[in-house]
Amino acid sequence: MARKTLELMLVLLIAGCSREAGPRLLPHPVPDQQVASALSGVCLEILEVHQTEGRYEIVYELTNLGGEAPGYGEYAALEKMMKDGWYGIIYSDAVFYRNPEFIDYGEMLRPGATERMTLDTGDLGTVLTPGTYRLVKTITGTDGFEYSVAAEFEIK
């Protein structure tokens, strides 16, 4: 009996160690499962995703095709598609201490302007494993209401 228990524990240990570590996710799907890539004249587009030394740099553009100047910031959320929906990726609080500019307000996107930004997962302290992800930006309209735009990308 002890031998079978030892074998079972060994199998469980090997199975647990072979799992690929991925990003830490929130325990429940995010409330907004449908987020458009363009809303109120603001468009979000992923330009490229490239890997460098185990980290990913996600290059994206925020474009204002509208007539007003909404607010935005450097902050961007990442979410991963799982079998039952989108789950938010958890960032360490240290991210915000190391980079106080990583906030979702403070900049204005003039009409007709395009802003190119890069989100580096190494700076976030997270690892992306293969799957479908989306980058979500919060925009503040001139009326003070917040809305989100998102763009999807794949990690192979």
Side-chain angles (χ1 to χ4, degrees), residues 8 21 23 28 42 52 89 92 113 128 135 141 149 153:
L8 179 60
H28 303 288
V42 176
T52 307
I89 294 178
S92 162
L128 302 185
L135 183 140
V149 290
F153 62 95

Side-chain angles (χ1 to χ4, degrees), residues 111-130:
T114 297
E115 186 67 37
R116 181 175 286 200
M117 293 169 266
T118 301
L119 183 66
D120 186 330
T121 61
D123 294 342
L124 302 176
T126 191
V127 175
L128 302 185
T129 54

